[in-house]
Amino acid sequence: MPLGPPPIRGAPSSRPLDLNLAEKAIELVRNALPFLTAGPPLIDYGPGGEVHVDVPLMYQGFALDRIHYDPQLRSPSPKGRPVRVWGMRVTEDEVISVMKNVIKELVVVEAVEYREPELAWVVPLAWRRLIVAHIKVSNDANEIIPDYGLSEEVRRRTL
Amino acid sequence: MKALKTLTAFLRREKFLTLLLLIYFALIPISKGRVINLKKYVDWSSIFMIVSLLFVSRGLELSGAFARISEKFIDISKGSGLRLTILVILTSALSAMVLMNDASLFVYVPIILTISKISEINVPLFLTLVSISANIGSALTPIGNPQNIIIWQHYGVSFLDFIKGLAPFFIISFVLLLLYSLLLVGKGKASLKVLRPPRLFMDKKLFITSLSLLILDVFLGEKRLSYLSLAITFATLTLVRREVVLEADYALIAIFILMFADFRGLSRVMASYGLVPNLSTKLSILYWGSLLSQVMSNVPATIFLLDYTKSWKALAIATNLGGVGLITGSLANIITLRLGKIKIREFHKYSLPYFITLLLLFTLIFLY
């Protein structure tokens, strides 16, 4: 039997959305930018000797997103490209010193996406020409939404 | 081979758990195999209650309700660094009475770091004062910290009697802390810019659920039904926000279980050789409890001394007092250091004078 086209899941939204709030969401993230800090680096060594490093982006004690770190280049890797390197040792101090400067250079991208299932705006953050993180903002563009799972992971690593 | 490497990587990351495991394995031959029978050493009622309250505290913390307090601080302080210090010390102590003291610090240390970005405050001083305040505040209630939960469950003290018993300790320590803060912060008198960081999302459903579970846990803890409290807490929080339970720090739970096996095991092995600490007077409990806490942290010290005294109040005062002072005194101190990224020397510069003064004060109180 011939295969049909892939099914379309979910129905298009019928909820009204005030698109002017996109500007407000961007502004909210821009105001939060000076308060962002780098959390403890999440350095993981795999059984094959590979190392993978992510740095949580923290805001008032909550993690908002993780920034992938490239240990070879000693700089962030774009979102969607986690880096694994073999045969390298990475120190926390090294990652923190690099990320402190990276966070100072973060800029808010002047465009947003909207995630209907999460009822949230998503504002990208860029470092130089790379999008390195996404910040979620509530539907009404008044509040910043943390990444709860990542916040828990950061806490585990802190203890 | 791969599994062994993964296990090695895990144990390298969980240094404290590894240390406790090594002590446990060392104790097996010394105790002639007795510590293998965990039933005799681990107070499961305390463990269930600690785990349940860890989940609830985390639920309250993750709800974002406490982060909202930072906005109020900045409004009420009206630019005065001294007023801000008093406010933060007061609220962190109050929060630590209901949240666990470590959860309270996970809330307040980031708030202080945020404030430090908009004002010229002495961060190490501020963080040390808040760490002391969370330790002192948590001493008042049976649910404030793990050693109080253990004492509450082990001695079968009622919730209200515990608070009545520890109230004088809390009042004296807190007044001393306020005077100490005035002395140290008064010199700087930092001024603040009135700048408000954007709000974090507050999960009202999680807040209400966690608060209700906290009340239920206290009720079930009083009835010595901590296993039921853990089951209900686990199930409810899994439904409301699964990250609270699924992403929880299970290594920490294993640490608490091993603490019982190790330190109770050690205390019984020592007793079998006649090496029993003399806890016949309140003063000896004060010194054993507080100084042992300085060396091995206050939760292991509580477990170590649990079988040697019937005076729960003196033990609670001693181990809560022992939580301040050296960085090793309590887990809360280590959290402050790790989150705040301050130096151990800076922490001790402010915490040790307070600890010594408080210890001398209670020596006089216990003597007369």
Side-chain angles (χ1 to χ4, degrees), chain A residues 87-100:
Chain A
M88 262 189 91
R89 301 296 301 177
V90 183
T91 65
E92 260 195 29
D93 291 344
E94 170 210 311
V95 181
I96 289 170
S97 72
V98 171
M99 290 309 294
K100 264 188 183 170

Side-chain angles (χ1 to χ4, degrees), chain B residues 255-304:
Chain B
I255 284 172
F256 279 117
I257 295 170
L258 278 171
M259 272 182 186
F260 268 104
D262 287 0
F263 295 101
R264 228 171 180 184
L266 191 67
S267 103
R268 288 184 190 174
V269 166
M270 284 174 71
S272 69
Y273 289 103
L275 300 167
V276 179
N278 177 13
L279 301 182
S280 53
T281 63
K282 277 185 183 175
L283 201 61
S284 60
I285 300 173
L286 179 73
Y287 274 85
W288 267 104
S290 58
L291 297 180
L292 211 55
S293 298
Q294 294 290 293
V295 180
M296 60 162 73
S297 195
N298 54 7
V299 179
T302 306
I303 295 168
F304 187 83

Side-chain angles (χ1 to χ4, degrees), chain B residues 66-141:
Chain B
F66 289 90
R68 288 281 166 97
I69 296 170
S70 62
E71 292 172 14
K72 302 284 173 214
F73 287 159
I74 294 166
D75 288 348
I76 300 169
S77 64
K78 289 177 188 155
S80 158
L82 187 62
R83 204 174 296 151
L84 181 82
T85 311
I86 305 289
L87 269 171
V88 175
I89 287 173
L90 190 68
T91 43
S92 59
L94 289 171
S95 310
M97 291 170 194
V98 283
L99 290 174
M100 294 269 224
N101 58 350
D102 61 332
S104 172
L105 286 165
F106 270 103
V107 171
Y108 289 95
V109 172
I111 288 175
I112 291 163
L113 295 179
T114 303
I115 292 168
S116 74
K117 284 177 176 267
I118 54 169
S119 99
E120 293 290 317
I121 57 167
N122 179 346
V123 177
L125 168 65
F126 219 138
L127 289 178
T128 311
L129 292 176
V130 167
S131 182
I132 296 173
S133 146
N135 276 316
I136 293 300
S138 73
L140 183 66
T141 64

Side-chain angles (χ1 to χ4, degrees), chain A residues 28-29 31-32 34-40 43-45 47-48 59-62 64 89 92 96 138 142-146 148-149 151-153 155-159, chain B residues 2 5-6 9 12-13 58 61-62 64 67-68 70 102-103 106 110 114 117-118 195 197-203 241 243-244 247-249 252 331 335 338-339 341:
Chain A
L28 189 84
V29 175
N31 291 338
F35 300 98
L36 296 182
T37 54
I43 304 172
D44 287 310
Y45 290 96
Y59 181 71
Q60 294 192 26
F62 285 82
L64 302 183
R89 301 296 301 177
E92 260 195 29
I96 289 170
S138 61
N142 278 330
E143 292 160 337
I144 288 173
I145 303 174
Y148 293 102
S151 297
E152 284 292 290
E153 192 178 344
R155 187 192 166 114
R156 282 201 307 271
R157 304 287 184 111
T158 306
L159 291 173
Chain B
K2 249 188 169 181
K5 279 187 177 175
T6 309
R12 199 180 293 162
R13 205 172 58 218
R58 196 62 187 139
E61 188 193 328
L62 274 185
R68 288 281 166 97
S70 62
D102 61 332
F106 270 103
T114 303
K117 284 177 176 267
I118 54 169
L195 196 73
R199 278 185 160 182
L200 262 169
F201 174 71
M202 182 179 158
D203 190 337
R241 185 165 284 284
E243 289 94 337
V244 176
E247 303 276 339
D249 191 355
L252 187 64
L331 187 65
I335 290 168
R338 292 274 289 160
L339 282 180
K341 297 185 181 84

Side-chain angles (χ1 to χ4, degrees), chain B residues 98-350:
Chain B
V98 283
L99 290 174
M100 294 269 224
N101 58 350
D102 61 332
S104 172
L105 286 165
F106 270 103
V107 171
Y108 289 95
V109 172
I111 288 175
I112 291 163
L113 295 179
T114 303
I115 292 168
S116 74
K117 284 177 176 267
I118 54 169
S119 99
E120 293 290 317
I121 57 167
N122 179 346
V123 177
L125 168 65
F126 219 138
L127 289 178
T128 311
L129 292 176
V130 167
S131 182
I132 296 173
S133 146
N135 276 316
I136 293 300
S138 73
L140 183 66
T141 64
I143 55 171
N145 55 48
Q147 72 269 18
N148 282 11
I149 296 173
I150 293 167
I151 292 170
W152 176 40
Q153 292 294 305
H154 179 81
Y155 290 98
V157 193
S158 84
F159 194 83
L160 283 178
D161 283 344
F162 193 101
I163 293 176
K164 273 187 219 160
L166 269 289
F169 169 76
F170 168 72
I171 293 165
I172 293 167
S173 317
F174 196 70
V175 169
L176 181 69
L177 179 63
L178 283 179
L179 293 173
Y180 188 58
S181 310
L182 285 173
L183 187 77
L184 292 174
V185 183
K187 288 177 193 165
K189 285 183 185 159
S191 61
L192 302 166
K193 283 183 243 167
V194 181
L195 196 73
R196 182 179 281 193
R199 278 185 160 182
L200 262 169
F201 174 71
M202 182 179 158
D203 190 337
K204 290 187 185 110
K205 195 161 87 175
L206 180 60
F207 178 69
I208 292 165
T209 308
S210 304
L211 200 61
S212 314
L213 285 171
L214 181 72
I215 296 163
L216 183 74
D217 281 357
V218 170
F219 174 75
L220 292 174
E222 281 281 85
K223 303 276 171 208
R224 312 291 150 203
L225 295 169
S226 52
Y227 64 92
L228 191 61
S229 128
L230 177 59
I232 295 171
T233 303
F234 187 91
T236 313
L237 287 174
T238 305
L239 290 173
V240 175
R241 185 165 284 284
R242 62 180 184 274
E243 289 94 337
V244 176
V245 283
L246 297 186
E247 303 276 339
D249 191 355
Y250 286 97
L252 187 64
I253 298 165
I255 284 172
F256 279 117
I257 295 170
L258 278 171
M259 272 182 186
F260 268 104
D262 287 0
F263 295 101
R264 228 171 180 184
L266 191 67
S267 103
R268 288 184 190 174
V269 166
M270 284 174 71
S272 69
Y273 289 103
L275 300 167
V276 179
N278 177 13
L279 301 182
S280 53
T281 63
K282 277 185 183 175
L283 201 61
S284 60
I285 300 173
L286 179 73
Y287 274 85
W288 267 104
S290 58
L291 297 180
L292 211 55
S293 298
Q294 294 290 293
V295 180
M296 60 162 73
S297 195
N298 54 7
V299 179
T302 306
I303 295 168
F304 187 83
L305 298 174
L306 212 53
D307 292 331
Y308 298 125
T309 178
K310 287 194 167 78
S311 177
W312 65 268
K313 206 193 290 180
L315 183 63
I317 289 173
T319 50
N320 279 295
L321 198 153
V324 294
L326 289 176
I327 190 77
T328 41
S330 78
L331 187 65
N333 298 344
I334 296 165
I335 290 168
T336 307
L337 213 76
R338 292 274 289 160
L339 282 180
K341 297 185 181 84
I342 56 170
K343 293 192 177 98
I344 294 179
R345 206 174 32 175
E346 289 173 321
F347 184 89
H348 287 159
K349 185 178 150 191
Y350 300 118

